[in-house]
Amino acid sequence: MRALSPAFGLLMIAAIAGGVDGPAFGLVAAAVVAVAVGVRWAVGATVAVVCVVALVVLTDPPALVAALAGLAATAYLVTRHVAEASVSAPTMLGALALSSVATFAAVVPADVAWLPAAAPFAAVVVFAVVARPFLPPD
């Protein structure tokens, strides 16, 4: 899986680079260089992802484009930083599922005034449910 990490890094950059012009193009170049450096040193992968996050902030792409870049960034970081045996189907399926939920939340309009106030509590509940099997028994 580690051999696929540069492909995921370039996919992450390509997803965002379509709407980039002007000074933000420097961040695209920096991200490409960071992916190249990331082949040898893992810190390059992290720098590449930070560059793409900055591009997302600067260019404000559509939700589906940002989701594709985020999913590719997740796959890139997992395949680059995690040991070969640890990259598993549940890891990738979890990333895909969470990206799908985030994309759905960004695309579907919600006119519920109290929803932003409830979101942090829902996130804590989801985290507690997911972390429950890893906690020590009472």
Side-chain angles (χ1 to χ4, degrees):
M1 289 294 276
R2 179 131 328 158
L4 290 175
S5 67
F8 287 126
L10 294 175
L11 174 65
M12 165 189 72
I13 296 167
I16 291 297
V20 173
D21 59 350
F25 193 73
L27 280 173
V28 172
V32 171
V33 169
V35 168
V37 169
V39 170
R40 176 81 170 123
W41 295 288
V43 71
T46 306
V47 172
V49 171
V50 170
C51 288
V52 170
V53 168
L55 280 169
V56 168
V57 171
L58 290 175
T59 60
D60 193 27
L64 292 176
V65 171
L68 176 62
L71 186 58
T74 301
Y76 180 45
L77 290 176
V78 166
T79 55
R80 184 63 191 104
H81 285 285
V82 176
E84 221 30 67
S86 299
V87 179
S88 62
T91 302
M92 293 301 176
L93 287 174
L96 181 62
L98 289 173
S99 293
S100 300
V101 168
T103 303
F104 178 76
V107 171
V108 174
D111 292 332
V112 182
W114 54 265
L115 192 58
F121 298 108
V124 169
V125 169
V126 168
F127 178 77
V129 169
V130 170
R132 178 88 172 124
F134 301 105
L135 297 175
D138 292 335

